[in-house]
């Protein structure tokens, strides 16, 4: 079984500051890990994913995440926040060799960016 | 390229009424999904269709039915709406149902049951 914990339902940063959104997971199988972003009144859009291989994954819009097996973490970072990054971010996990229907989403973190 | 299209975008129902949420994708994807999104609970899977002609229950199927009409379309029906079904509903599709696949989401249907 898989589960995801996102620490902090809201994160506030200033424009230009580092963005760090935390995600810890639990998985009984080697995990596949995803970050999705949801802009207001929109559906979810894939930011990045880790399946196998390199543990530092780069995504769209300057975001990246690092898979740390020893810490069961997959935190999302961006060096410099833009106003356009304000959105809700969801971490999700599925297990290797399981179907997409087994994907489990976290409860989301709303990123607020102030000028 | 429209991707995943959901209709309607907004709906208000009275308790006990029925309605069907429509979803269509133009990416020739095999698998389609219905989720509900509630505050503080993330997305939860209601039903999915791994391929045309098949449907299966997800995490929260009670009170819902689905139909995979063809490869493009996957509808969600509420037979007798209840206030607990007030939520935002998302349809998604993916090329395959492997766990590492990317899903594409529609813009959502905001449903209020009064």
């Amino acid at each position: 079984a898989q589960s995801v914990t996102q620490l902090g339902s809201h994160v506030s940063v200033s424009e230009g500051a580092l963005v760090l959104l935390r995600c810890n997971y639990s998985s009984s199988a080697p995990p596949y890990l995803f970050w999705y972003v949801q802009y207001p009144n929109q559906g979810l859009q894939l930011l990045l994913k880790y399946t196998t291989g390199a543990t530092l994954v780069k995504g769209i819009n300057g975001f990246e995440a690092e898979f740390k097996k020893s810490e069961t973490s997959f935190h999302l970072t961006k060096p410099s926040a833009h106003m356009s990054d304000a959105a809700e971010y969801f971490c999700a996990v599925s297990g290797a060799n399981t179907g997409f229907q087994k994907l489990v989403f976290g409860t989301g973190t709303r990123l607020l960016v102030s000028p | 390229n429209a991707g995943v299209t959901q209709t309607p975008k907004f709906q208000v129902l009275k308790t006990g009424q029925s309605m069907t949420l429509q979803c269509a994708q133009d990416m020739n994807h095999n698998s389609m999904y219905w989720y509900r999104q509630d505050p503080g609970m993330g997305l939860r899977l209601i039903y999915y269709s791994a391929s045309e002609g098949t449907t299966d229950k997800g995490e929260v199927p009670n009170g819902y039915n689905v139909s995979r009409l063809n490869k493009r379309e996957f509808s969600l029906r509420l037979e007798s709406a209840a206030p607990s079904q007030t939520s935002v509903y998302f349809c998604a599709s993916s090329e395959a149902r492997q766990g590492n696949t990317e899903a594409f989401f529609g813009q959502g249907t905001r449903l209020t049951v009064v």
Side-chain angles (χ1 to χ4, degrees):
Chain A
Q2 290 83 36
S3 66
V4 172
T5 301
Q6 291 184 242
L7 295 176
S9 58
H10 292 79
V11 170
S12 295
V13 300
S14 299
E15 193 172 21
L18 171 70
V19 175
L20 172 60
L21 304 183
R22 298 178 185 274
C23 173
N24 289 89
Y25 71 90
S26 171
S27 177
S28 56
Y32 294 147
L33 293 155
F34 305 79
W35 275 100
Y36 280 85
V37 60
Q38 183 180 29
Y39 297 104
N41 299 315
Q42 299 288 319
L44 277 70
Q45 177 184 359
L46 183 68
L47 266 181
L48 50 80
K49 67 178 181 181
Y50 167 81
T51 54
T52 59
T55 57
L56 181 62
V57 180
K58 294 186 184 299
I60 62 172
N61 301 336
F63 284 94
E64 63 182 35
E66 186 171 10
F67 169 58
K68 292 187 176 180
K69 184 177 179 180
S70 61
E71 299 178 9
T72 61
S73 69
F74 191 57
H75 301 330
L76 183 70
T77 60
K78 182 174 180 178
S80 177
H82 294 160
M83 297 294 291
S84 59
D85 294 327
E88 190 153 21
Y89 293 80
F90 292 93
C91 182
V93 63
S94 67
N97 301 319
T98 64
F100 185 86
Q101 72 276 11
K102 297 295 186 184
L103 188 69
V104 175
F105 285 87
T107 54
T109 298
R110 185 169 299 279
L111 178 65
L112 307 171
V113 183
S114 57
Chain B
N1 188 350
V4 179
T5 302
Q6 291 182 234
T7 55
K9 288 186 169 49
F10 301 93
Q11 184 72 49
V12 178
L13 288 180
K14 294 182 179 179
T15 298
Q17 286 185 319
S18 63
M19 79 161 295
T20 300
L21 281 64
Q22 306 287 352
C23 175
Q25 52 92 7
D26 62 3
M27 295 171 284
N28 201 35
H29 284 169
N30 289 307
S31 301
M32 298 184 74
Y33 314 84
W34 276 105
Y35 290 89
R36 60 178 290 172
Q37 182 182 29
D38 301 293
M41 302 191 74
L43 274 75
R44 293 181 292 168
L45 184 65
I46 304 171
Y47 271 92
Y48 68 99
S49 171
S51 60
E52 186 179 355
T54 70
T55 61
D56 284 286
K57 295 178 180 179
E59 182 184 353
V60 289
N62 291 345
Y64 305 96
N65 285 300
V66 290
S67 295
R68 183 75 183 266
L69 304 170
N70 47 55
K71 192 171 185 180
R72 290 187 65 248
E73 299 173 286
F74 188 39
S75 63
L76 178 72
R77 182 161 178 83
L78 287 70
E79 292 291 351
S80 179
S84 61
Q85 294 178 304
T86 293
S87 186
V88 182
Y89 291 85
F90 288 100
C91 177
S93 70
S94 64
E95 184 174 340
R97 73 175 191 89
Q98 280 75 23
N100 60 350
T101 193
E102 175 182 357
F104 294 81
F105 286 79
Q107 292 192 316
T109 296
R110 190 172 297 272
L111 175 67
T112 302
V113 183
V114 297

